[in-house]
Amino acid sequence: MSKFSISLSMTVLLAAAGASTPVQAGQDSLLVNRVQQEQGMNLPTRGMTMAQVEQKFGAPQRKLEPRGGSNPRQPVINRWDYSNFIVYFEQNHVIHAVLNTPAGNNTNPASVK
């Protein structure tokens, strides 16, 4: 192998590595911004029941079809879509609530199978 082909290979590798770094950095800053926004918002908290969420935040815009439940290691997961956030339930209790933001992949939860 000649010095030219080695240096060309190294240039291609370095260019490829450098090209992916700004994208990852951009995704990281979007995630940090999103987490900071979520901390400042009044969202359902882990452990709340469906009834408590509905009492405090009102009826969701949509209640998506439950997923999972085929065995004990895959419990039933329900998702409720509100205008600004999505709530995930394991059976009847909140496990997570996230902002419904264009930067995330959850802008149309009904399209996720």
Side-chain angles (χ1 to χ4, degrees):
M1 206 182 247
S2 71
K3 285 185 180 182
F4 175 75
S5 62
I6 292 173
S7 65
L8 181 60
S9 298
M10 290 299 286
T11 302
V12 170
L13 286 173
L14 290 173
S20 65
T21 302
V23 171
Q24 182 64 37
Q27 290 172 346
D28 290 346
S29 67
L30 289 175
L31 181 59
V32 168
N33 291 340
R34 185 169 160 179
V35 168
Q36 288 171 344
Q37 279 183 308
E38 286 176 356
Q39 289 174 347
M41 290 189 67
N42 183 24
L43 296 173
T45 56
R46 186 177 181 95
M48 290 177 77
T49 65
M50 289 178 169
Q52 290 170 327
V53 171
E54 201 156 4
Q55 181 180 7
K56 184 171 182 175
F57 297 95
Q61 291 177 334
R62 293 187 288 197
K63 293 182 180 180
L64 283 78
E65 293 275 329
R67 303 283 184 197
S70 59
N71 67 54
R73 293 188 134 175
Q74 297 176 344
V76 174
I77 302 295
N78 288 284
R79 297 180 295 175
W80 287 6
D81 187 15
Y82 286 85
S83 62
N84 294 330
F85 58 91
I86 297 170
V87 186
Y88 295 88
F89 299 89
E90 182 176 311
Q91 311 239 347
N92 190 40
H93 292 87
V94 173
I95 55 172
H96 198 52
V98 295
L99 285 180
N100 196 3
T101 63
N105 63 353
N106 58 343
T107 55
N108 186 6
S111 68
V112 177
K113 301 280 182 200

